[in-house]
Amino acid sequence: MILLLVAAVLGGTFLAWSAQAGSVPPPGHRHGHEAVGGRSGLGSVDLKGWAKEQISSDKERRAQPRPKTAVSPTAARSGAVTAVRQAGFVRAAAAADPTTLVLYDTAGPYGRLGELYAMAAANLAGHFGTVTAKPVQQYTAGMIGSYTAVIYIGSTYYCCDVPDAIPAAFYQDVSTSTKPVIWMGANIWNMANSVGTAQFTQRYGWDPTSSYYEDGGSVGTVTQVTYRNQTLTRKIPAGQDGGVLRPNVLTGPGYPEVTRLAEGLDSSNGHTFGWAVRSANLTYVGEIPFAYVSESDRVIAAEDLLFDALAPATAERHRAMLRLEDISPASDPAELRTMADYLYAQKIPYGINVIPVYKDPKGTYNNGTAQTVTLVQRPQVVSALKYMLARGAVLMDHGYTHQYGNVANPYNGVTGDDFEFYRAHVDSADNVVYDGPVAEDSALWAQGRVAAALTQFTLAGLPKPALWTTPHYAASAADYKVISSNFSARLERSLYFSGTLGGNSAGPNAFIGQFFPYVVKDVYGTKVLPENIGNYEPEAFNNHPARLPADLVASAKANLAVRDGFASFFYHPYYPTQPLKDTVDGIKALGYTFVSPTSL
């Protein structure tokens, strides 16, 4: 079983087991598995404190006297949404190997957020070509000219008690270059002040120095973003929303047109505004959309906007991908064959995620008697797997035992229910809390787990799995690297740890969790295939609602906003076939074409 980012529902519920000779009961799957990295997608980060400081700084900036050169805040605002244009971008972005420079903040009390968000941006840019990431204060004059495009992540609000750490050379180069620049979040007002508000407004058509996170005295409640004809969600808990900048777009003679690429809706007052705007070489996104994401979230807009800067000639294409999950020696061969027959009849290629060793160290599902069962001991399961492989399946490795020792991690120690490479517990509010890598974690330990798993496949007469999916999507950076040295790619969501870019870790449990709408080469240097719309789960668990076929199809529809993206999901074969049919039919009806995981 797998963990997802926030609001994505996974796991399963206990189903009655139909006994067969020589089999063992399947894992109970009654325990929910919610989000990679906790509800925000971030580990060990105080987003509530960050949001409070962000809003406080914005209020203080608003109260400060404005420079005489600033455009009057009473200048007319543009309410119309213009057609999407690509003006101002250098078409070298269509090069075979686009290069991206990702710049991020490290200053201030929440400076470590910068690296986490930069990894998320760098991972996405890794879909297009090579990526260089560094703290923004390391920028030197002319550096922009060496890259196809630049992404700046403004996570530290430079104002008031936090002096600006961005070099003036960066502001100047952005304002004079034709290279595409994507700017997310804070400090765009400091660029305007640095190069001159008049110069900024005359080139870009809006005034950051009179643009704020507040509208009518509060940051409001921005609940949705509309982009490329899709309505995307934005769900952030109260007290943790730092707001979205509302660009003060100017009209009148001398001001260039500003394209509102994505439309934000403030449900507290019904106001709409440019969540993402573009003019000349600058694409500005009013927030950093990498926290509190879900399968239908506004992050989808940011994921697609990169095409404009890095691959503008990309043709529209929508592919789907399926894998069957948590297959182990405890699985029912008849269920596996039923799934194989259905998918073969539909001509759908798919992955099968197999756990080669089943463990129930406490006898949770075996009347208190511990069990360990291998594939070799279940020839009927092996025969069913070979039957699936002959009918379009791709063998994938889903860990060694998909559990950890004989302890609850976090549930019961049973294969499929628990973590294997990471420690976790369930708190008093029924949330899964990440605790950090297992005590013996190391590259050598991880390699031992992988080697043991591969040996079990060989002993069972099965081919080496082509791909890997980390149990519950959670492992250390060292583990991910070991895993990727043994497989051509991982098909999963992943954790990205502090210190990966800058070398100075904020702790073993400081990370950002992320999933992708397309194939990426991530900051670990490894290939990751997408899983971005979750899975069928008929019952609520761990404070997450049920997730039904209609929910998966709705997420697939939202992901149509990514011009060359995927609707990738997984399904547990112990569930009936009908929900899978409903999901497949709905995704096909949207225009997606199913492809094999090994085709990517």
Side-chain angles (χ1 to χ4, degrees), residues 213-246:
Y213 292 94
E214 288 188 352
D215 178 15
S218 75
V219 297
T221 308
V222 181
T223 56
Q224 73 178 44
V225 172
T226 304
Y227 177 74
R228 297 192 78 217
N229 300 316
Q230 299 299 329
T231 299
L232 309 175
T233 60
R234 184 178 185 272
K235 299 178 181 179
I236 299 178
Q240 300 194 35
D241 190 351
V244 184
L245 193 78
R246 323 294 174 98

Side-chain angles (χ1 to χ4, degrees), residues 402-486:
H402 202 317
Q403 54 81 241
Y404 177 67
N406 61 359
V407 299
N409 189 38
Y411 302 116
N412 51 28
V414 179
T415 289
D417 281 356
D418 278 17
F419 289 75
E420 181 172 350
F421 292 84
Y422 218 77
R423 294 306 308 270
H425 71 276
V426 179
D427 67 15
S428 59
D430 196 30
N431 300 310
V432 175
V433 179
Y434 285 59
D435 298 319
V438 298
E440 63 269 54
D441 184 65
S442 68
L444 182 62
W445 177 83
Q447 181 59 48
R449 304 293 291 185
V450 172
L454 294 177
T455 296
Q456 291 298 319
F457 285 107
T458 300
L459 292 174
L462 292 167
K464 179 184 176 182
L467 303 167
W468 167 281
T469 301
T470 305
H472 290 333
Y473 295 150
S476 69
D479 298 339
Y480 286 127
K481 292 176 183 178
V482 165
I483 290 162
S484 295
S485 70
N486 288 272

Side-chain angles (χ1 to χ4, degrees), residues 16-100:
W17 171 66
S18 177
Q20 59 173 316
S23 317
V24 296
H29 299 291
R30 71 182 71 191
H31 298 290
H33 301 283
E34 75 296 342
V36 164
R39 296 184 176 278
S40 67
L42 294 159
S44 301
V45 173
D46 177 18
L47 280 180
K48 191 170 185 177
W50 171 83
K52 182 177 180 180
E53 181 171 282
Q54 175 112 332
I55 294 169
S56 174
S57 295
D58 200 58
K59 288 181 178 179
E60 188 169 344
R61 177 173 69 92
R62 188 167 196 159
Q64 291 175 347
R66 300 187 59 229
K68 294 181 179 180
T69 56
V71 176
S72 169
T74 60
R77 295 175 182 263
S78 172
V81 180
T82 63
V84 175
R85 299 179 298 118
Q86 308 301 322
F89 280 6
V90 169
R91 290 312 175 194
D97 185 20
T99 56
T100 306

Side-chain angles (χ1 to χ4, degrees), residues 1-2 9-13 15 29 33 322-327 335-336 339 398 402 416 535-538 569-577 580:
M1 204 163 293
I2 301 293
V9 178
L10 293 187
T13 54
L15 296 179
H29 299 291
H33 301 283
L322 164 67
R323 74 175 191 264
L324 299 181
E325 193 75 354
D326 287 339
I327 300 170
E335 292 175 345
L336 300 181
M339 289 288 169
H398 193 25
H402 202 317
N535 73 296
Y536 170 72
E537 174 49 58
F569 70 106
F570 63 93
Y571 193 86
H572 292 91
Y574 51 76
Y575 285 129
T577 308
L580 177 59

Side-chain angles (χ1 to χ4, degrees), residues 71-377:
V71 176
S72 169
T74 60
R77 295 175 182 263
S78 172
V81 180
T82 63
V84 175
R85 299 179 298 118
Q86 308 301 322
F89 280 6
V90 169
R91 290 312 175 194
D97 185 20
T99 56
T100 306
L101 174 63
V102 176
L103 300 171
Y104 60 96
D105 297 322
T106 58
Y110 299 95
R112 64 188 173 116
L113 261 179
E115 183 188 25
L116 299 179
Y117 288 143
M119 287 190 290
N123 287 335
L124 294 174
H127 171 69
F128 301 91
T130 58
V131 184
T132 300
K134 58 180 61 184
V136 68
Q137 58 263 40
Q138 293 181 13
Y139 183 88
T140 57
M143 192 178 287
I144 194 173
S146 300
Y147 297 90
T148 305
V150 175
I151 301 172
Y152 167 64
I153 310 293
S155 60
T156 295
Y157 198 119
Y158 294 126
C159 173
C160 322
D161 295 332
V162 182
D164 194 352
I166 301 176
F170 178 63
Y171 293 140
Q172 187 62 34
D173 285 354
V174 171
S175 69
T176 57
S177 176
T178 57
K179 293 291 183 75
V181 175
I182 298 175
W183 190 304
M184 297 183 182
N187 306 317
I188 188 69
W189 48 85
N190 288 333
M191 175 179 161
N193 286 328
S194 179
V195 303
T197 306
Q199 178 179 325
F200 186 101
T201 57
Q202 287 165 11
R203 184 173 195 204
Y204 296 115
W206 63 286
D207 180 14
T209 68
S210 58
S211 301
Y212 305 99
Y213 292 94
E214 288 188 352
D215 178 15
S218 75
V219 297
T221 308
V222 181
T223 56
Q224 73 178 44
V225 172
T226 304
Y227 177 74
R228 297 192 78 217
N229 300 316
Q230 299 299 329
T231 299
L232 309 175
T233 60
R234 184 178 185 272
K235 299 178 181 179
I236 299 178
Q240 300 194 35
D241 190 351
V244 184
L245 193 78
R246 323 294 174 98
N248 180 14
V249 178
L250 307 172
T251 59
Y255 292 124
E257 183 181 41
V258 177
T259 301
R260 287 167 69 165
L261 301 169
E263 195 84 352
L265 170 66
D266 187 337
S267 61
S268 68
N269 54 27
H271 294 174
T272 61
F273 61 95
W275 183 86
V277 298
R278 177 179 300 148
S279 50
N281 68 319
L282 179 65
T283 298
Y284 177 74
V285 179
E287 64 170 326
I288 304 169
F290 295 133
Y292 288 107
V293 303
S294 70
E295 292 84 354
S296 303
D297 186 77
R298 86 285 193 202
V299 73
I300 292 170
E303 293 164 346
D304 182 75
L305 284 171
L306 296 186
F307 283 95
D308 291 342
L310 294 165
T314 300
E316 194 87 9
R317 178 174 55 168
H318 302 288
R319 289 172 285 178
M321 195 159 55
L322 164 67
R323 74 175 191 264
L324 299 181
E325 193 75 354
D326 287 339
I327 300 170
S328 80
S331 295
D332 183 341
E335 292 175 345
L336 300 181
R337 289 174 180 268
T338 297
M339 289 288 169
D341 289 341
Y342 162 67
L343 294 170
Y344 182 70
Q346 294 292 311
K347 297 181 172 58
I348 294 177
Y350 59 101
I352 48 175
N353 247 350
V354 179
I355 310 159
V357 176
Y358 169 83
K359 283 183 173 289
D360 182 358
K362 298 176 181 291
T364 300
Y365 304 119
N366 192 43
N367 298 317
T369 301
Q371 282 186 303
T372 297
V373 187
T374 68
L375 286 171
V376 171
Q377 294 172 302

